[in-house]
């Protein structure tokens, strides 16, 4: 039998070079150093608008797919988090002078949109164990970067707690998230989900996360 926690620890070690790139990403460093202005934050908001809109649909589909499975509650929790992020994103965009109509008009950059496209693929075709593993590997790095962005936006740009709530939601996930994800992964492994597919889902989602940051950085810095 494959132990989910041991497998995820192995995957985390294998992907550590990518995770380190995420946690030391030049976009976050440039924002902290004042090299990215307030106007350029609109790109971040526009890309996240497309991502959250797509992810809401993807996770809603997961709730439907696994509605009678034990993993249902795990995905319901993710859906509730995405819904809260949607409202918080609109608050962040409003602080930048963006209306929802303007957000809808934003044309996503291919490299920044790749993450959410793969998330949609996972929602359609992957097992619940693969998806839970991809989330479990990906969310900590995204959450740490969001925590840094929250502090930077308050200190450098004077945004309020409400205006950075989008970032704080990801920086402070529910304390039960990891435990619940591991339960889903372990159940999937016990039922025959191949570890190589779990590894693949985590590896690709983490790579697409890095592609997101690289894309928006190159767009604003050039």
């Amino acid at each position: 039998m494959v132990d989910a926690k041991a497998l995820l620890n192995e995957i985390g070690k294998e992907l550590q070079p990518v995770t380190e790139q995420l946690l030391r990403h030049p976009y976050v460093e440039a924002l902290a150093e004042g090299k990215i202005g307030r106007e350029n934050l609109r790109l971040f908001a526009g890309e996240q608008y497309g991502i959250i809109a797509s992810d809401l649909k993807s996770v809603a589909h997961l709730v439907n797919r696994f509605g009678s499975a034990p993993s249902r509650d795990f995905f319901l929790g993710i859906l509730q988090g995405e819904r809260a992020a949607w409202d918080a994103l609109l608050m962040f965009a409003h602080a930048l002078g963006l209306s929802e109509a303007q957000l809808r008009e934003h044309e996503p950059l291919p490299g920044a949109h790749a993450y959410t496209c793969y998330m949609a693929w996972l929602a359609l075709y992957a097992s619940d164990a693969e998806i839970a593993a991809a989330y479990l590997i990906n969310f900590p790095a995204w959450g740490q970067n969001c925590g840094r962005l929250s502090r930077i936006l308050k200190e450098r740009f004077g945004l309020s707690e409400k205006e950075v709530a989008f970032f704080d939601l990801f920086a402070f996930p529910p304390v039960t998230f990891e435990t619940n994800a591991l339960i889903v992964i372990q159940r999937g492994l016990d039922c025959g989900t191949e570890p190589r597919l779990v590894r693949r889902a985590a590896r690709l989602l983490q790579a697409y996360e890095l592609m997101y940051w690289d894309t928006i950085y190159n767009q604003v810095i050039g």
Side-chain angles (χ1 to χ4, degrees):
M1 302 295 288
V2 179
D3 180 72
K5 190 173 182 61
L7 176 61
L8 267 291
N9 285 340
E10 289 177 11
I11 295 171
K13 290 177 182 177
E14 292 167 3
L15 297 180
Q16 189 60 32
V18 180
T19 301
E20 289 178 0
Q21 289 181 69
L22 287 168
L23 297 179
R24 299 198 306 266
H25 202 276
Y27 180 91
V28 182
E29 300 299 329
L31 192 66
E33 295 168 4
K35 297 177 181 177
I36 297 176
R38 190 185 188 97
E39 183 71 19
N40 287 326
L41 290 171
R42 292 184 168 203
L43 173 68
F44 191 101
E47 293 298 333
Q48 284 299 315
Y49 184 82
I51 290 170
I52 300 296
S54 179
D55 285 355
L56 271 168
K57 296 172 186 176
S58 295
V59 182
H61 181 69
L62 286 169
V63 172
N64 182 59
R65 271 187 70 194
F66 299 105
S68 59
S71 56
R72 174 196 59 207
D73 289 345
F74 174 74
F75 291 122
L76 276 172
I78 298 291
L79 183 61
Q80 291 166 357
E82 294 286 352
R83 183 64 183 84
W86 177 264
D87 292 335
L89 177 63
L90 295 180
M91 183 76 70
F92 171 61
H94 181 72
L96 303 176
L98 285 171
S99 66
E100 188 168 0
Q102 289 173 302
L103 290 171
R104 284 195 296 268
E105 292 172 359
H106 176 77
E107 290 295 330
L109 299 169
H113 205 60
Y115 174 102
T116 198
C117 291
Y118 183 59
M119 189 64 242
W121 186 93
L122 289 172
L124 285 170
Y125 301 116
S127 68
D128 50 2
E130 292 165 60
I131 298 162
Y135 278 143
L136 189 53
I137 291 294
N138 176 247
F139 277 12
W142 166 248
Q144 287 188 55
N145 274 343
C146 281
R148 291 189 64 194
L149 287 175
S150 175
R151 293 190 294 273
I152 294 166
L153 292 171
K154 286 183 288 187
E155 295 170 3
R156 184 168 286 279
F157 296 94
L159 270 62
S160 69
E161 293 285 347
K162 289 184 178 180
E163 291 167 339
V164 300
F166 172 80
F167 301 94
D168 291 337
L169 281 169
F170 292 107
F172 303 103
V175 293
T176 58
F177 173 75
E178 180 178 354
T179 299
N180 292 340
L182 285 171
I183 290 171
V184 173
I185 298 163
Q186 188 64 63
R187 187 179 292 113
L189 292 168
D190 292 346
C191 292
T193 298
E194 296 181 57
R196 69 180 181 87
L197 296 180
V198 172
R199 292 178 186 275
R200 179 186 297 171
R203 175 177 60 82
L204 289 177
L205 196 65
Q206 197 77 328
Y208 287 131
E209 171 82 16
L210 181 58
M211 187 182 295
Y212 169 82
W213 290 102
D214 288 347
T215 299
I216 60 172
Y217 176 73
N218 291 333
Q219 185 70 16
V220 298
I221 299 296

